[in-house]
Amino acid sequence: MPGWSHIEHVPSVTLLDTLRRARQRGVRIASICSGVFILAAAGLLDGRRATAHWARAELLSSRYPAVNVDRNVLYVDDGDIMRSAGRAAGFDLCLHIVRRDYGAEIVNQGRTAAGRAAPSRRRANAVYSATRSQS
């Protein structure tokens, strides 16, 4: 479940029922950032620990008191339902899922390849600074 920009609204009954049926069939479900509000609205997190972006954790806790909101973790993995605190923590959750399904070696290979493909923030800032001084 991706982040959801309408957390002030109740999701459609169709969406909530679809998630409930998927869970009953044993489908593994993951949410990133504000997608946790949809899982909570479906009742899938009742009695479970969940996390949310720091700016939304209090709202999640007050709106869904049956959910045990943990503000101190990046993601929670119950095996069948996983959720991340925010978008950046969503990357950590996705890497965790790949590690769980395919092993740490695959994740480490991906991190190495990504590191070669993307310039470091320091290098990107240096390039930006050099470009600005030439104009």
Side-chain angles (χ1 to χ4, degrees):
M1 183 59 52
W4 187 46
S5 60
H6 303 290
I7 60 174
E8 67 280 357
H9 298 124
V10 176
S12 73
V13 172
T14 302
L15 175 58
L16 298 178
D17 285 345
T18 299
L19 284 168
R20 290 179 193 121
R21 283 193 307 274
R23 175 62 204 105
Q24 288 171 348
R25 289 192 325 270
V27 172
R28 185 170 54 171
I29 298 172
S31 70
I32 296 176
C33 195
S34 56
V36 72
F37 282 83
I38 298 173
L39 300 184
L44 299 180
L45 301 179
D46 289 358
R48 294 181 185 229
R49 190 168 61 114
T51 190
H53 186 275
W54 64 268
R56 301 286 187 233
E58 186 60 39
L59 179 62
L60 181 66
S61 183
S62 64
R63 188 175 294 165
Y64 301 102
V67 177
N68 303 317
V69 178
D70 184 344
R71 295 161 177 81
N72 298 312
V73 295
L74 294 176
Y75 59 85
V76 177
D77 178 356
D78 289 336
D80 58 341
I81 300 177
M82 297 165 277
R83 47 258 177 228
S84 75
R87 287 181 292 191
F91 289 116
D92 294 315
L93 175 59
C94 290
L95 288 171
H96 169 74
I97 293 168
V98 172
R99 181 182 307 108
R100 202 174 93 178
D101 290 356
Y102 300 102
E105 184 177 332
I106 297 296
V107 171
N108 292 335
Q109 288 174 4
R111 284 183 175 171
T112 302
R116 285 193 304 264
S120 70
R121 170 173 260 143
R122 182 178 299 159
R123 183 165 182 264
N125 287 340
V127 170
Y128 174 74
S129 297
T131 305
R132 277 188 56 123
S133 65
Q134 292 174 358
S135 47

